[in-house]
Amino acid sequence: MELDLVDHVERAHSRGSIWGRCALACQYQGNNQVCVMLYRDGAANHGQIFESFNMMSLWKQCIFICEKNKFGMGAHVERSSASTEYFKKQYSWPHGRTHTQSVSVDGMDILCVREANKFAADHCRARKGPIVMESETYCYHGHSMSDPGVSNHIRDEIQEVRSKSDPITMLKECMLSNNMASVKELEEIDVKIRKVNENGAQFDPEPPLDELCNHIFANKPPMEVRRTNPWVKLKSVS
């Protein structure tokens, strides 16, 4: 099951069927926005990606970002992909007169990711896109309830990555070494964030079933939503 997540302020969308329409809308409206298409290892070989490559070559204003954690569901990329250099896959579609850029980024380095995204956004806003970015990262946990915990990785490996390459730890060290924050300030931020998370987990009640379908759409009148049983319906209220 896929879920559409839409931020109407930032124009951020999370589902593949919407990506192309976003890029076309950017071109049609002549605005300065770009479409960002996020996917992972498991989707890197899907046909929809290559269809999107073709269409985005026409509409320009799209950034393809592959979050490469070396696993598609529970399968390691070496067992599921003939080529694991995902940022080179765009070369399999015809460029025409458009030179398509691609970059490989250290996805564990927050500052590196920020600069790469800035470059990609400027590139697409200049109508030189699309651009393909491979962001190599690491997943500490399994993909879903079918592989919970750390079944994809060895515990010693996880500890090594946490100690040497964890994005938050690396950013903290960078800020401390450049006198951008003190140890006390960072500790206060940690305490505040932990408190927010704990309060949310403990005190936010589970919503009742009759609120399950609320807020599917924004600014729409109440509507009925069919459940898996077609004779039982819920109401969606914006």
Side-chain angles (χ1 to χ4, degrees):
M1 178 180 178
E2 291 188 52
L3 177 68
D4 287 349
L5 298 176
V6 182
D7 185 325
H8 291 281
V9 177
E10 298 297 335
R11 302 294 192 270
H13 303 264
S14 69
R15 187 171 179 176
S17 61
I18 300 177
W19 295 327
R21 282 174 272 171
C22 289
L24 177 60
C26 291
Q27 185 190 63
Y28 183 77
Q29 295 175 2
N31 58 38
N32 204 34
Q33 297 174 352
V34 296
C35 170
V36 180
M37 177 174 174
L38 294 164
Y39 58 100
R40 294 182 181 173
D41 307 63
N45 295 312
H46 285 192
Q48 299 98 313
I49 295 293
F50 295 92
E51 292 177 18
S52 299
F53 283 168
N54 176 67
M55 296 309 297
M56 297 310 110
S57 292
L58 298 172
W59 296 333
K60 314 298 183 187
Q61 290 166 261
C62 183
I63 305 170
F64 292 88
I65 302 179
C66 179
E67 298 176 88
K68 181 181 178 182
N69 61 31
K70 299 183 180 179
F71 281 89
M73 297 289 283
H76 194 275
V77 294
E78 297 293 344
R79 295 192 290 113
S80 60
S81 184
S83 172
T84 59
E85 293 182 302
Y86 301 128
F87 69 103
K88 293 182 179 180
K89 285 186 178 291
Q90 85 280 7
Y91 294 121
S92 61
W93 91 79
H95 295 216
R97 292 176 294 175
T98 303
H99 176 65
T100 305
Q101 296 281 350
S102 65
V103 292
S104 181
V105 182
D106 180 0
M108 304 292 277
D109 187 327
I110 293 175
L111 298 180
C112 181
V113 171
R114 183 191 67 175
E115 292 304 308
N117 277 278
K118 183 178 183 300
F119 168 81
D122 290 344
H123 182 82
C124 289
R125 288 187 176 116
R127 304 279 295 150
K128 298 178 181 178
I131 187 168
V132 179
M133 184 190 308
E134 175 187 286
S135 181
E136 187 160 344
T137 184
Y138 190 89
C139 188
Y140 294 130
H141 303 283
H143 179 81
S144 65
M145 291 300 293
S146 62
D147 57 347
V150 295
S151 57
N152 288 344
H153 302 292
I154 302 171
R155 290 186 182 275
D156 290 343
E157 178 186 287
I158 294 174
Q159 292 302 319
E160 183 178 3
V161 173
R162 282 190 183 277
S163 62
K164 294 181 179 180
S165 305
D166 183 82
I168 296 177
T169 301
M170 290 173 62
L171 182 62
K172 284 182 178 179
E173 292 175 353
C174 178
M175 293 177 70
L176 290 171
S177 62
N178 287 279
N179 297 318
M180 298 174 67
S182 66
V183 173
K184 183 179 180 181
E185 287 174 322
L186 295 178
E187 288 176 348
E188 290 174 352
I189 292 173
D190 283 339
V191 171
K192 182 178 179 180
I193 292 173
R194 290 180 187 277
K195 186 175 181 180
V196 169
N197 291 339
E198 290 172 0
N199 288 342
Q202 293 177 8
F203 302 113
D204 282 356
E206 184 173 336
L209 182 61
D210 57 7
E211 295 182 9
L212 178 65
C213 296
N214 285 350
H215 311 297
I216 293 178
F217 298 101
N219 302 321
K220 293 284 184 180
M223 57 178 288
E224 288 188 334
V225 179
R226 190 182 71 175
R227 297 178 58 188
T228 52
N229 182 337
W231 292 277
V232 180
K233 295 183 180 181
L234 294 174
K235 182 170 287 188
S236 175
V237 179
S238 299

